[in-house]
Amino acid sequence: MSETDIPDATGRAPSIRDVARLAGVSYQTVSRVINNSPQLRPETAARVRSAIAELKFVPNQAARALATSRSRLIGVLGPRTTTHGTATMVQAIESAARAAGYRLTLTNLATSAPEDVRASIDHLMQQSVEGLIAVAPQTRVVPILDELRLPVPVQIVASSGTATSHNDQTAGARAAVRHLIEIGHTRILHIAGPRDWVEADHRMRGYLAEMDANDLTPRPPVLGDWTAQFGFEAGLELLRTEDATAVFAGNDHMALGFMHAVRAIGRSVPEDISVVGFDDVPESAHLWPPLTTVRQDFAGIGARAVREVLAALGEPADAVAPVEPDHLRLILRSSTAPPSR
C-alpha cells in the first residue's frame, strides 16, 4: 500500500503513512478514502484527499490488490476490429472504469471459433478479473458465455435476446428502411454486415421486418465485412444487376464504398439512388453528399456497461455517474431523396 511512483524531495516515495501523518488520521482511514469507502465523514475524506494531493501520493495498484484481496480489474473481450463503434465503446469503458478506481485488461478474439472464445475468456479469468464486458460480440460468443456461468458479473454490449445493451439495432434498421419507404422507395437493397456478428444479424432482421410490414418484397441481403472496400465492390455488382432505387447499408463505411461505386459508373446520389448507413461515424456528415444514417451512443453504451458491472460488485451507486445511453436516432442528410423513376 505504501508504494508510489513519485519520490519526495529526499528521494523517498511518500507513503500511505506520510499521508496519514499530514492529514492527522490513521493509515487505515487513508486506505478507506483511496478505496472510496462511504463510511467516512466528508470533512475527514476531504482532509485526506488534500494531503494526498499535497504529497503527490499515488497508491500502487498491485499493493492495493494485495491489501484488499481484490484485483479491481475488469476484463474486456472484444473483436479484432478497429471499427469506430467498438473503439469508442472500449474507450468509454476504460474511462468509466478508471474513474471508479478499476483497470482494464483487454483480449481481442482472433476468430469466433468456440475454442478461441473459450481460450480468450480463460485468459481473462486467469488474471482474476472481477467483472467481464463483451464488446460487439460475434454470435457464437453469447451462448458460450451463458454456458460457462462465470463467477463474475458479465455485461454484453450488443443487441440480442440475452444481451444487456440498451441499443435496439432492429428498431434502428427499421427506422432507416421506413424512411426510404415513406419518401417513395419500394425497391430497396440491403448490404449487411458479417454473418457471425450480432449487430449485423439484428440490422438485417430490421430490414426484412420493415419490408414485410409494408408488403414489399425484400431483395436477398448481401453479406459484407463492414469495410468501405466491400461496399464499393458490392456496389459495382449490384448496380450492374439490380434495378433498386435505394440501399440500406449495415454501417457507414459500406455505405461510403457504395456511394463511391455509384459515382464510378457515372451515376449520382441521391438523384439516381438513395443511400442510408448505420452508426453515424464522425466522417458521415462530411461525405458528399452527407450521409443519412442511424446514430447510436457508443460512449453511453460503454459507460453504462461499467456502471452495471460495478453495481453487481456492490460498489456505491455514485462510483460511476449515472448513464442512460441515447436511443438510436435517424439522422436525415442529403444522401436520400424520393426516387426519380
Side-chain angles (χ1 to χ4, degrees):
M1 281 291 294
S2 62
E3 295 179 26
T4 178
D5 295 326
I6 302 177
D8 63 13
T10 67
R12 180 182 66 83
S15 72
I16 192 171
R17 295 183 186 277
D18 295 328
V19 175
R21 279 192 293 271
L22 182 60
V25 299
S26 69
Y27 76 88
Q28 292 95 334
T29 297
V30 177
S31 178
R32 293 189 189 99
V33 172
I34 292 170
N35 288 289
N36 299 307
S37 171
Q39 299 174 341
L40 289 169
R41 291 187 298 172
E43 56 268 28
T44 300
R47 195 162 70 248
V48 170
R49 292 191 180 99
S50 177
I52 288 172
E54 182 176 337
L55 292 175
K56 296 184 173 62
F57 172 71
V58 181
N60 180 279
Q61 290 286 352
R64 285 177 65 185
L66 288 172
T68 62
S69 299
R70 293 185 56 187
S71 69
R72 299 189 75 81
L73 194 63
I74 295 175
V76 175
L77 182 67
R80 183 163 290 181
T81 178
T82 57
T83 59
H84 168 75
T86 299
T88 304
M89 284 190 285
V90 171
Q91 289 170 6
I93 289 168
E94 195 277 333
S95 295
R98 185 176 65 246
Y102 283 75
R103 297 168 295 138
L104 294 191
T105 178
L106 174 66
T107 293
N108 292 321
L109 288 172
T111 73
S112 62
E115 58 271 22
D116 286 340
V117 175
R118 290 190 178 90
S120 295
I121 294 171
D122 186 54
H123 173 71
L124 292 173
M125 296 304 297
Q126 287 178 5
Q127 298 178 64
S128 300
V129 297
E130 296 189 30
L132 189 147
I133 300 174
V135 178
Q138 292 145 312
T139 54
R140 295 183 183 181
V141 174
V142 176
I144 291 174
L145 284 169
D146 288 342
E147 167 197 321
L148 291 175
R149 297 184 181 276
L150 298 175
V152 300
V154 176
Q155 287 290 308
I156 303 172
V157 286
S159 62
S160 73
T162 55
T164 52
S165 167
H166 291 258
N167 260 9
D168 188 343
Q169 308 286 310
T170 303
R174 293 192 67 161
V177 177
R178 189 181 310 121
H179 163 65
L180 293 170
I181 294 170
E182 287 174 347
I183 61 176
H185 294 278
T186 58
R187 302 190 303 278
I188 304 169
L189 298 172
H190 178 43
I191 302 177
R195 181 188 300 276
D196 60 345
W197 280 63
V198 174
E199 286 88 348
D201 179 63
H202 282 258
R203 293 173 196 179
M204 181 168 61
R205 291 178 188 223
Y207 161 76
L208 295 171
E210 194 61 31
M211 293 291 282
D212 182 67
N214 287 274
D215 295 322
L216 297 175
T217 302
R219 311 296 176 92
V222 178
L223 301 181
D225 62 4
W226 299 132
T227 68
Q229 182 63 31
F230 182 88
F232 175 72
E233 294 172 357
L236 292 178
E237 178 65 19
L238 291 170
L239 292 166
R240 183 178 65 82
T241 59
E242 298 280 355
D243 62 348
T245 63
V247 166
F248 165 48
N251 76 340
D252 288 351
H253 288 100
M254 292 191 297
L256 165 63
F258 184 86
M259 291 166 67
H260 181 191
V262 173
R263 290 191 298 272
I265 65 170
R267 297 169 69 183
S268 61
V269 175
E271 290 80 8
D272 297 309
I273 190 163
S274 289
V275 181
V276 180
F278 204 109
D279 287 341
D280 194 27
V281 300
E283 299 83 4
S284 295
H286 305 288
L287 302 177
W288 190 255
L291 180 64
T292 293
T293 186
V294 178
R295 176 180 296 168
Q296 56 181 331
D297 182 9
F298 293 113
I301 297 167
R304 177 63 180 263
V306 173
R307 182 174 174 81
E308 294 187 358
V309 165
L310 296 187
L313 291 171
E315 290 285 358
D318 60 354
V320 177
V323 177
E324 187 61 50
D326 288 341
H327 293 293
L328 296 180
R329 289 189 290 147
L330 181 66
I331 306 300
L332 298 178
R333 298 195 179 106
S334 306
S335 65
T336 55
S340 58
R341 54 186 174 88

